Amino acid sequence: VSLRSQPFIMTVCDSGVPVPAEVAAKLLHTVVDSEDGLGIGLFQAARWAEQSGYRLLLRENRAGRVCFELAEHRD
C-alpha cells in the first residue's frame, strides 16, 4: 500500500496472478463473473469513487504486481 496526500493517490498492490484481459476490460465498468460471485464489489467501489470526486482504476496488471489506484479525479 502506498499513499500520497497532494494530490491524493492511494495504491494497493497484490503479488498474485494478473486479472485475465477479458475481465480487466470490463472490470470497474460493469458487474463481472468472479470465482466467488458477480464481482460487484469493485464495480460499486468505482461508482462510489466517481460520485465522491475520485477515480478507481486497475493501474498495473502483470504477474506478481496487480495494483489498484484510488485518486482524486482531475480533468
Side-chain angles (χ1 to χ4, degrees):
V1 174
S2 68
L3 183 62
R4 201 167 100 186
S5 61
Q6 292 296 326
F8 176 84
I9 300 174
M10 180 176 68
T11 306
V12 178
C13 296
D14 183 294
S15 61
V17 299
V19 178
E22 61 277 2
V23 175
K26 297 186 268 182
L27 196 65
L28 307 173
H29 304 290
T30 189
V31 175
V32 296
D33 288 332
S34 71
E35 292 178 12
D36 300 323
L38 295 175
I40 198 164
L42 286 172
F43 172 66
Q44 287 179 323
R47 298 295 72 77
W48 291 332
E50 283 181 14
Q51 292 173 9
S52 299
Y54 295 86
R55 62 175 168 72
L56 179 63
L57 57 94
L58 180 59
R59 172 57 69 195
E60 285 187 61
N61 189 31
R62 57 186 170 91
R65 189 151 173 91
V66 178
C67 301
F68 287 89
E69 178 179 281
L70 177 68
E72 289 178 280
H73 183 66
R74 300 175 141 208
D75 291 329

